[in-house]
Amino acid sequence: MALLKIFVGTMYGGSLDVAEQVQPLFEQAGYTVEVLDQPTLTDLTETRPDLALFVTSTTGSGDVPGNLTGFLNTLSTESPALDWLRYGMIALGDSSYGETYCGAGRHLDERLADLGATRHGERLEIDAMETFMADDAALPWVEAWIPTLPATA
């Protein structure tokens, strides 16, 4: 089976809830799924996933949640070649913050692309001002995203 790793950046658990809600959809599609709520770069590079999904909220004024800070810092300091990585991005934010809306997801997305990774499809940005439960937006997005992925066999 193909391996999917879901990398979670969360402050209050909303992103982790999204990851846990979408996990069964990937399992039904034939993936072995690991949800990582304290991700490290080693989690990405030692046992390379066939696909990665990043689910992150944004804190403060566009900041990365504390549990994802080390991962992003290591991406920046080590700058590993990620030309082999295919990934998806779900960014949670609050549009009342203006330009920093979904800042963590946008910043991580940009950094992954700079390192050669390829995002599959569009980034999903979930606005807390419009969607109370983030999984209400994430589940349909993942259901539509999975059929566009290359075969898992």
Side-chain angles (χ1 to χ4, degrees):
M1 275 198 219
L3 175 62
L4 166 73
K5 291 186 179 182
I6 303 177
F7 294 81
V8 177
T10 192
M11 188 71 157
Y12 300 112
S15 295
L16 180 59
D17 183 55
V18 168
E20 291 171 344
Q21 293 294 319
V22 301
Q23 179 177 357
L25 298 175
F26 287 102
E27 291 170 342
Q28 292 166 9
Y31 287 89
T32 299
V33 180
E34 292 179 25
V35 176
L36 304 158
D37 63 353
Q38 293 293 324
T40 65
L41 184 58
T42 303
D43 292 323
L44 181 63
T45 59
E46 269 195 14
T47 303
R48 290 182 174 183
D50 298 289
L51 179 66
L53 178 63
F54 294 87
V55 182
T56 186
S57 61
T58 299
T59 64
S61 295
D63 300 323
V64 174
N67 73 310
L68 196 60
T69 301
F71 176 85
L72 190 56
N73 288 344
T74 307
L75 271 182
S76 295
T77 58
E78 293 188 16
S79 297
L82 298 178
D83 55 332
W84 54 270
L85 178 64
R86 287 181 311 116
Y87 71 95
M89 180 68 64
I90 298 176
L92 286 69
D94 183 327
S95 62
S96 69
Y97 282 85
E99 290 185 18
T100 61
Y101 168 63
C102 288
R106 291 175 180 182
H107 179 68
L108 178 58
D109 200 5
E110 183 179 300
R111 186 67 190 133
L112 292 168
D114 288 346
L115 295 171
T118 303
R119 187 182 70 229
H120 185 86
E122 296 298 317
R123 175 179 58 236
L124 173 62
E125 294 184 352
I126 302 173
D127 185 357
M129 295 294 289
E130 296 178 6
T131 306
F132 180 69
M133 298 296 293
D135 54 316
D136 287 344
L139 287 166
W141 182 86
V142 168
E143 287 172 341
W145 191 61
I146 288 174
T148 70
L149 298 170
T152 59

